[in-house]
Amino acid sequence: MYGLEAAIVHYWQKKTMSEEELLDAADVGRVVFRIWMGFAGFALLILCLSWGAAPNDERPQVAAAAKIVSIPAEGR
């Protein structure tokens, strides 16, 4: 069992990158692009969900609130 654990740890250490390698490999333009794409995807998801949602007049709470007649403040 020790040999298997040692082999896994050795393999993992070989596959991981040091902090210097991570900082050297970070391309700022690519990171900004990926963040921008993530935000755009999230906005698209919200937009699609809002389009697919039921209209407000089909929900009883919203329909009831829309029927309430408001009295203008000048009329008091």
Side-chain angles (χ1 to χ4, degrees), residues 15 20 26 31-32 40 45 55 61:
K15 283 291 191 183
E20 294 85 21
V31 170
V32 170
L45 174 70
Q61 297 90 352

Side-chain angles (χ1 to χ4, degrees), residues 6 13 22 30 32 35 37 41 49 62-63 65-66 68 75-76:
Q13 286 177 345
L22 286 172
R30 187 174 175 195
V32 170
I35 291 172
M37 289 300 291
L49 288 175
V62 177
I68 296 175
R76 287 185 174 177

